[in-house]
Amino acid sequence: MTHVLADGSALDLRRSDSRGVELTSEVLRNALVVAAEEASIVVVRSAYSTFVVEGSDASAAILDKDGRLIAHSMATTLMNSMALSVAVPFLLADIPIESMRPGDVFATNDAYKGGVHTNDILIFKPIFVAGEVEYFSATLIHVSDIGGASAGGMASLATEIFAEGLQLPPVRIATAEGLETSIMRILALNSRTPEKVQGDVRALIAGASTAATRVQELIENYGEDGFAAGVRDYLAYTEVLTRAAIAELPSGTYRSDYTIDDDGVTDLSNHRVAVAVTIQDGEVELDFTGTDPQVAAAVNSSISQSLAAAVFAFRCFVDPTIPMNDGCLRVLKVNLPVGSLLNAQSPYPCGGRFLPAYAAMEAVLQALSDAVPERAIAASGILQPFSIAATTAPYWVHLAYEFGGVGARFGKDGPDATGVHFGLGRNSVPQVEPVEARCPLVVEEVEYIADSGGPGRWRGGLGTRTVFRLLADAYITTRGDRLATGPRGRDGGSPGVTGAFKKRTRAGEIVVLNSKVNNELFHEGECFIVETSGGGGIGNPVERLAAAVIDDVRAARVTVDGARRDYRVVVSDGDVDTAATTALRGGA
């Protein structure tokens, strides 16, 4: 169980303390992941917000006192674990570590200090070893509402962060004696759903406390020195694995970019995210120099979210069994220019952070697809978030996403309606029945959209159509993209079909909404329609096997007209008309 590090030193992954208790890297890894996973489950079962309870969208992580990521729960996404990691140094800059006491719990949602956006509250509980803070347990969820121009944190047309909700600097929110009532009252006073936000915070604290208890049990079991050495070796081993994976990638610099359709506020369009990926000497640099500057609209990202996107895209091209922790991050250099779309500064809004972050992810994926064509992926449809909310008190909010199709992979079609994502929990599309029970609406349709996957030798995944019929007046807020320009194809493949947000009036008229609207009034009986984009295709569509096309027709993924138009395959009586297809394909 010894491995050689880059500096030539030996790494022993099997240790024991004076009591003879053996601690291996794999044992420690699983124990820490279980601790974080239990914390996230506690949050889900204790939370009040529908999105958390029904979507199981809660994150938990174990960090050291410097903010280095040690482990996170299985449900935790990079979007959230990077936020928890990046926020620790900012927390300690505001609240000195020596002032922390057992039982203390801290909270923040400051997007410019490691946070995500105002509705995502980060909770930290220090873990003491021999009277000193050595580690933190941390939890994070999107609370139901924390003020701002629209319910649920969806101020799509915000021009500054103050319209997105209450900002909370790093503060002590609980002590060994209990909750800090003044902070809880501030949160409640700024929320349309005060009981829910207070319940969510209590759930976050319960989850962090659970993880902290489990870590303390591990320290007691393996000894202070044994646990610390185990963590150190575990992270170092992850670094070894990551460097070995990078060694298999071709050296060089690969460039790509991706654009955001619009920002919903200004006359600007096609906001560009650019990247140069350099692979050399066992390390990778992701340089986003050339990315467009931040804009006074909700299409900017905080640094933690952009970092998460870059790391996620890189990890898609290495061994998927490599643990996600600080050891993986040590081999990466990420440059996110200050004041760009990917590193916004106050007061530029960050609520639409996933738009530039997903563009960054896509740019890295495409650059690495050029580097390793046999692992290539076309562009994907992204999550399309929206909120449906009460127009007056008592307030209710349905906050959700729908997903687009995944881009085709080299040698494989793209999965339908899952999106490529690094920022969502176990089941972020809530089930129909609980939503209908909690909100005055009916989900009338959920279906795939035939022909929406980008045609190619390998087809992009399908987008979806979901129809909500309102049983009461409601405000609809949307924050979509890739609705004007479909996700790109590769190597001759076509882009995925664009999606849309629509209103169907009581008279049956269809009105197409802008991709980003704020508090659009829908009347009782009207329908809100969400259509998501399909994924891009890879390769010339004419090279797709006719048998694969007919399988798609039989599965209703491709229509008869689409088979002829996009793939030059003629379908007759449910099967391929071989002679007509050969003629249409030019004898190929």
Side-chain angles (χ1 to χ4, degrees):
M1 294 288 291
T2 59
H3 298 266
V4 178
L5 298 177
D7 61 5
S9 61
L11 171 64
D12 186 1
L13 296 180
R14 194 181 295 275
R15 293 180 175 270
S16 62
D17 69 359
S18 60
R19 293 164 292 178
V21 180
E22 191 168 66
L23 176 61
T24 68
S25 175
E26 196 63 20
V27 169
L28 180 62
R29 170 189 178 182
N30 285 301
L32 290 168
V33 168
V34 167
E37 181 70 4
E38 184 179 356
S40 71
I41 292 171
V42 167
V43 175
V44 169
R45 291 183 174 178
S46 306
Y48 281 49
S49 290
T50 306
F51 187 69
V52 179
V53 175
E54 302 299 344
S56 295
D57 187 35
S59 299
I62 311 298
L63 312 149
D64 73 7
K65 63 182 178 182
D66 296 314
R68 288 188 288 256
L69 179 65
I70 297 174
H72 63 190
S73 66
M74 299 302 293
T76 297
T77 62
L78 275 172
M79 178 176 278
N80 290 348
S81 59
M82 286 295 97
L84 294 169
S85 176
V86 173
V88 170
F90 291 105
L91 167 67
L92 298 182
D94 282 11
I95 303 174
I97 197 168
E98 58 271 14
S99 71
M100 296 180 178
R101 299 290 180 265
D104 282 354
V105 181
F106 303 92
T108 183
N109 71 347
D110 191 336
Y112 311 114
K113 292 185 176 182
V116 181
H117 69 142
T118 53
N119 269 72
D120 282 351
I121 294 182
L122 290 65
I123 292 289
F124 298 91
K125 185 176 181 65
I127 300 171
F128 290 78
V129 178
E132 303 290 336
V133 177
E134 294 293 339
Y135 307 100
F136 286 94
S137 61
T139 52
L140 184 161
I141 60 173
H142 180 112
V143 301
S144 62
D145 186 80
I146 201 164
S150 295
M154 286 280 292
S156 298
L157 304 184
T159 58
E160 54 187 9
I161 199 167
F162 308 111
E164 295 185 323
L166 173 72
Q167 294 182 81
L168 193 67
V171 294
R172 184 178 283 101
I173 199 165
T175 67
E177 284 71 44
L179 293 169
E180 293 282 7
T181 56
S182 58
I183 302 297
M184 295 295 287
R185 290 175 64 189
I186 290 171
L187 290 171
L189 189 60
N190 283 274
S191 175
R192 296 173 177 86
T193 55
E195 296 83 6
K196 286 186 177 182
V197 75
Q198 291 183 95
D200 287 345
V201 169
R202 290 194 295 269
L204 285 165
I205 293 172
S209 297
T210 298
T213 297
R214 297 294 175 258
V215 173
Q216 288 167 336
E217 291 171 351
L218 289 170
I219 294 171
E220 292 171 4
N221 191 24
Y222 295 111
E224 298 169 6
D225 294 339
F227 180 82
V231 168
R232 183 174 63 248
D233 289 352
Y234 165 49
L235 299 182
Y237 182 47
T238 301
E239 180 182 353
V240 170
L241 294 176
T242 308
R243 289 189 185 279
I246 291 173
E248 298 178 359
L249 301 176
S251 297
T253 297
Y254 307 89
R255 301 179 186 276
S256 189
D257 60 36
Y258 210 85
T259 56
I260 302 168
D261 285 344
D262 63 85
D263 58 41
V265 175
T266 74
D267 293 332
L268 301 174
S269 61
N270 296 323
H271 299 285
R272 179 173 177 265
V273 172
V275 71
V277 179
T278 299
I279 305 168
Q280 187 174 3
D281 299 328
E283 295 191 348
V284 174
E285 179 179 9
L286 307 170
D287 185 2
F288 289 92
T289 298
T291 294
D292 284 351
Q294 60 193 2
V295 63
V299 294
N300 308 293
S301 174
S302 59
I303 190 170
S304 70
Q305 304 307 280
S306 302
L307 177 61
V311 173
F312 172 87
F314 158 74
R315 283 177 57 85
C316 287
F317 281 80
V318 298
D319 183 354
T321 65
I322 296 174
M324 180 60 233
N325 58 47
D326 183 71
C328 174
L329 302 177
R330 293 172 186 174
V331 303
L332 297 177
K333 179 181 179 182
V334 183
N335 178 30
L336 300 166
V338 176
S340 70
L341 291 170
L342 300 177
N343 191 354
Q345 306 297 297
S346 181
Y348 286 84
C350 295
R353 73 279 176 204
F354 68 91
L355 296 176
Y358 271 71
M361 177 197 73
E362 204 70 76
V364 174
L365 289 177
Q366 297 311 310
L368 288 173
S369 291
D370 291 341
V372 193
E374 64 272 19
R375 302 183 199 171
I377 181 171
S380 301
I382 59 174
L383 72 162
Q384 303 294 351
F386 58 89
S387 65
I388 308 174
T391 58
T392 59
Y395 291 105
W396 54 268
V397 181
H398 174 52
L399 175 67
Y401 310 112
E402 300 292 341
F403 299 112
V406 177
R409 288 80 50 83
F410 186 88
K412 297 180 180 179
D413 294 339
D416 301 324
T418 65
V420 172
H421 54 74
F422 60 95
L424 303 168
R426 292 181 180 86
N427 179 28
S428 288
V429 178
Q431 299 301 302
V432 169
E433 291 80 4
V435 171
E436 292 180 337
R438 292 172 181 265
C439 303
L441 55 83
V442 173
V443 182
E444 288 192 336
E445 299 177 31
V446 181
E447 62 180 349
Y448 290 133
I449 302 175
D451 294 334
S452 59
R457 181 180 180 185
W458 299 290
R459 174 184 47 74
L462 302 185
T464 61
R465 178 183 296 107
T466 304
V467 179
F468 300 88
R469 179 163 53 87
L470 280 303
L471 303 181
D473 290 356
Y475 285 131
I476 304 291
T477 298
T478 66
R479 184 179 275 142
D481 207 70
R482 305 188 190 182
L483 302 182
T485 304
R488 302 174 190 165
R490 281 185 61 88
D491 305 322
S494 300
V497 171
T498 57
F501 292 115
K502 300 176 179 178
K503 175 191 287 189
R504 187 170 70 210
T505 68
R506 284 176 287 198
E509 179 187 3
I510 298 294
V511 179
V512 178
L513 307 176
N514 291 333
S515 62
K516 302 165 184 68
V517 299
N518 206 72
N519 292 340
E520 177 81 11
L521 179 61
F522 277 59
H523 292 292
E524 177 185 354
E526 294 186 320
C527 290
F528 175 49
I529 304 171
V530 181
E531 295 179 348
T532 64
S533 307
I538 290 182
N540 187 341
V542 177
E543 296 178 359
R544 185 169 178 83
L545 295 176
V549 176
I550 198 65
D551 285 346
D552 283 343
V553 172
R554 290 168 178 166
R557 288 185 168 88
V558 173
T559 64
V560 170
D561 289 343
R564 183 184 187 97
R565 178 187 64 243
D566 298 328
Y567 298 98
R568 300 183 189 176
V569 172
V570 179
V571 180
S572 177
D573 295 327
D575 211 337
V576 177
D577 185 328
T578 303
T581 296
T582 300
L584 191 60
R585 287 187 164 189

